[in-house]
């Protein structure tokens, strides 16, 4: 288990909400930031703030060193083969849209197939819906097992020789399901397709090795891994990225501009048009340093333990249903649930009155809600700064909510 003194690095957690100590269980939406990241952002703006790449003065050089230094940290963090394969973007949504608009438009034709799953976040559904409509392609879904997992048999049944793109979440933001993306990549490649991985819920919690996974594209966001908002990463295999056209045009990404034609810079800069997200990259680099110091393997083990403890304690509440795999080793630190006959928004409101922050709604996963036969759920998501006492507070709050609504109705 992780040393719980780690919580002291997160100043936002040292406060009361509605007269109670804050219990933050919404890290799947966004994580809190440690002082190390906050100080890195503060120091950049106080001492190094400048545009990058273009200037020759000292501040410009320092800013460029920090920006490109962050790219090197990302490369090592996900074990990309080169910094040329690391593109800074606004977040996971932008990364997936970039693949759809650039690689997808160039490689998907009428009658071709795009394969995704029912557990995808909207940001990994809508870009493919739009691409399929534009290109006359067929959008297909991999069927789920009863416990919210996918089987390789269903993967093989969905992917055919007409499949050009398979896009899949590594860890479901609702069910916590951890998908076998390495095996899916192999099946996709056997059929001549590429695999796009939505790693938004995986990169903060698991040790990522894109070469070992053999995925073709991998997308994630900084704000879910104790970094700033507004910064994310698109990883792509160099050969694929080299053949892709940029989707944003302007300064920074050009090599030469003539009156009627222009050429682009080499990787990765041809995909980073305009002034880049400099401070965000610096903050993301500091977040990676922080996570590496703790160890991603330690974080993963901690979250498996948290999920197991939470499901065990929550299962004792009559009328509470938990969604997703019951084996904590098959899921990340996410527990999604409903309290019978009580809308999840009402559950979340009662919990907030006790200082407990959870998420309620469809979690940007309406097709999955339909598959679960619900309109919404409540979700508790754990991270490295949570401990068993947070779960105990959650369970106590749920019992209070149950008692309150039983008395009301």
């Amino acid at each position: 288990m992780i040393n719980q003194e780690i919580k002291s690095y997160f100043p936002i957690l040292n406060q009361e909400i509605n007269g109670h100590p804050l219990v933050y269980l919404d890290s799947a939406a966004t994580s809190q930031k440690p002082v190390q990241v906050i100080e890195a952002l503060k120091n950049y703006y106080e001492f190094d703030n400048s545009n990058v790449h273009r200037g020759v003065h000292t501040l410009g050089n320092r800013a460029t060193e920090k920006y490109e230094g962050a790219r090197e940290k990302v490369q090592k963090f996900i074990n990309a083969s080169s910094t040329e394969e690391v593109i800074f973007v606004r977040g996971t949504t932008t990364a997936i849209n970039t693949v759809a608009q650039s690689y997808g438009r160039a490689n998907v034709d009428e009658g071709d197939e795009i394969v995704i799953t029912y557990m995808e976040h909207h940001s990994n559904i809508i870009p493919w819906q739009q691409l399929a409509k534009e290109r006359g392609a067929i959008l297909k879904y991999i069927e789920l097992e009863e416990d919210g997992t996918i089987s390789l048999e269903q993967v093989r049944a969905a992917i055919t020789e007409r499949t050009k793109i398979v896009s899949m979440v590594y860890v479901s933001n609702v069910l916590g399901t951890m998908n076998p993306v390495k095996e899916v990549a192999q099946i996709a490649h056997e059929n001549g397709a590429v695999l796009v991985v939505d790693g938004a819920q995986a990169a903060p919690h698991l040790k990522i090795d894109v070469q070992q996974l053999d995925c073709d594209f991998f997308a994630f966001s900084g704000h879910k891994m104790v970094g700033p908002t507004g910064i994310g990463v698109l990883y792509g295999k160099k050969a694929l990225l080299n053949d892709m056209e940029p989707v944003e045009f302007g300064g920074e990404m050009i090599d030469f501009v003539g009156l009627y034609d222009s050429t682009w810079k080499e990787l990765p800069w041809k995909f980073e048009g305009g002034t880049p997200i400099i401070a965000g990259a610096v903050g993301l680099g500091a977040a990676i340093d922080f996570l590496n110091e703790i160890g991603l393997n330690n974080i993963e083990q901690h979250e498996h333990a948290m999920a197991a403890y939470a499901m065990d304690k929550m299962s004792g509440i009559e009328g509470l249903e938990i969604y997703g795999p019951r084996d904590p080793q098959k899921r990340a630190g996410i527990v999604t649930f409903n309290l019978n006959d009580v809308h999840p928004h009402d559950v979340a409101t009662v919990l907030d009155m006790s200082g407990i922050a959870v998420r309620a709604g469809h979690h940007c996963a309406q097709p999955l809600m339909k598959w679960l036969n619900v309109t919404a759920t409540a979700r508790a998501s754990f991270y490295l700064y949570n401990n068993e006492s947070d779960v105990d507070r959650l369970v106590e709050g749920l019992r209070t909510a149950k008692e309150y609504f039983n008395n009301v109705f």
Side-chain angles (χ1 to χ4, degrees), residues 18 24 86 101 110 120 137 177 192 202 237 244 268 290 316 352-353 396 399:
N18 296 321
Y24 186 76
V86 175
Q101 293 169 25
E110 185 174 356
E120 302 308 317
T177 306
K237 290 181 177 177
M244 289 165 54
F290 182 81
D352 184 61
M353 292 170 61
E396 179 184 352
R399 293 190 185 281

Side-chain angles (χ1 to χ4, degrees), residues 28 119-120 144 147-150 169-180 201-202 205-206 300 303-304 307 311 322-337 363 365 368-369 371-372 377-382:
M119 69 177 76
E120 302 308 317
L144 303 184
D147 63 351
T149 61
I150 63 170
V169 68
Y170 197 160
V171 174
S172 167
N173 73 310
V174 176
L175 303 174
T177 306
M178 300 171 63
N179 285 323
Q201 300 294 342
H205 311 285
L206 312 172
E300 181 181 5
E303 292 184 9
H304 284 318
M311 288 192 293
I322 296 173
Y323 303 101
R326 302 298 298 187
D327 183 351
Q329 296 302 312
K330 293 183 179 180
R331 64 189 300 154
I334 295 173
V335 179
T336 297
F337 60 92
H363 314 294
L368 180 57
M369 295 295 109
W371 184 85
L372 291 171
T377 63
R379 180 187 70 193
S381 51
F382 308 101

Side-chain angles (χ1 to χ4, degrees), residues 114-185:
I114 304 166
V115 176
I116 60 177
T117 81
Y118 286 102
M119 69 177 76
E120 302 308 317
H121 189 280
H122 292 165
S123 61
N124 200 30
I125 297 176
I126 301 170
W128 308 119
Q129 289 178 343
Q130 297 302 108
L131 178 64
K133 290 177 182 178
E134 177 184 327
R135 307 300 295 174
I138 301 166
L139 184 62
K140 297 171 63 177
Y141 286 81
I142 298 171
E143 295 290 338
L144 303 184
E145 301 296 301
E146 289 186 5
D147 63 351
T149 61
I150 63 170
S151 69
L152 295 181
E153 288 74 18
Q154 293 288 2
V155 173
R156 292 188 181 94
I159 298 174
T160 73
E161 292 180 353
R162 294 305 306 269
T163 303
K164 291 295 180 70
I165 296 173
V166 181
S167 195
M168 176 182 294
V169 68
Y170 197 160
V171 174
S172 167
N173 73 310
V174 176
L175 303 174
T177 306
M178 300 171 63
N179 285 323
V181 294
K182 179 181 179 180
E183 291 78 7
V184 174

